Amino acid sequence: MVIVMNIRSSKQDIEAVNKRLADLGFRTQAIQGVKRIVIGAVGDENTADSLLCLGQMPGVEKIVPIMKPYKLVSREAREEDTVINVGNVKIGGESVTVIGGPCAVESREQLLTAARQVKEAGGHIIRGGAFKPRTSPYSFQGMEEEGLKILREGSLETGLPVVTEVIDEYSLHLAMEYVDILQIGARNMQNFRLLKAAGQINKPILLKRGMSATIEEWLMAAEYIMSEGNGQVILCERGIRTFETATRNTLDLSAVPLVKRLSHLPVIVDPSHATGDRQLVMPMSLAAIASGADGLILEMHPEPSKALSDGPQSLTPEGLADLMAHLHRIVPAVGKYLA
Ligand code: PEP
Ligand code: MN
């Protein structure tokens, strides 16, 4: 349930409500809105008279039970869009954020070149995988800590924040020393221990939709992170598995407006993994923005033909610059601005 405090409620009122909730066995999380504080409380709502007595406490405006299985993630817990600040970049709200970079960090030169090209094209955040969850154990698995150091260098040189994927608790704790956003990929969307560990740190988490996950399962995965105390979750639609084999996955764009209705969290789109085809990345990027996405994560490689992973879906540097030029026209048309 959500306890909505009234605009004039004092700090003491909020503390008293928190204490009462804790006594009743609820886990609480304050959600600061523009005008007021609401307290998300997760626990057994059948506890005798809990609802009744809470509603009488000073400063409490109303108690809203949440019927959905996800609570803190839901729009009912927070009416306004969550905006996540990463350095000077905002993700969510009115802004559209573009993340670009190679699938994997392959060498210092490759990543630094890509980072400069992303910056030059007007991208806001750099991506690059240092831990790669590959289908085959014989494929390139990533440069691990050396890759993280290179990402850090790319960030320092360009002044842009970086995101990298983590695949277990070891890589999570290592990566948080080097990067600004931690990605939990499609293959780990239901790695519940990893989700809980991500909930216990104070860094934004980019949570991709599992390739066979329903929207409810995806939002429940986000709830795992939020229920541990980390409210900085960015959702990413990256295509789901269907009977269609002509594209790598099927980009579920209807998920974007639907998830934005169900949740206050920002939603971005990855048209690279969704389509697997560089030529489809531009049209699906524009469609994603038109559908209400808060941003894009795009694979771009200085020389896609030489990429160690996902070359066919990687934009060239010129392709990224061209896409950015199109976004400059599309983004204002949907009432947003490029971050
Ligand atoms: C990636 O972003 O490099 C990646 C592996 O994505 P996904 O988890 O969506 O497959
Ligand atoms: Mn990739």
Side-chain angles (χ1 to χ4, degrees), residues 103 127 132-133 165 183 185-187 208 238 270 273 299 310:
C103 180
R127 65 152 287 153
K132 295 306 300 175
E165 179 167 0
Q183 173 177 320
R187 289 156 193 80
K208 289 197 157 192
R238 47 78 73 202
D270 175 348
H273 291 89
E299 287 191 340
D310 289 348

Side-chain angles (χ1 to χ4, degrees), residues 77-107:
R78 185 186 161 101
E79 256 174 68
E80 310 105 63
D81 290 342
T82 284
V83 178
I84 293 168
N85 293 296
V86 190
N88 297 326
V89 181
K90 287 193 187 314
I91 305 175
E94 313 277 88
S95 68
V96 166
T97 311
V98 178
I99 305 172
C103 180
V105 182
E106 299 169 359
S107 69

Side-chain angles (χ1 to χ4, degrees), residues 237-249:
E237 163 61 42
R238 47 78 73 202
I240 48 174
R241 256 202 192 153
T242 66
F243 54 80
E244 183 56 77
T245 53
T247 47
R248 183 173 176 180
N249 291 285

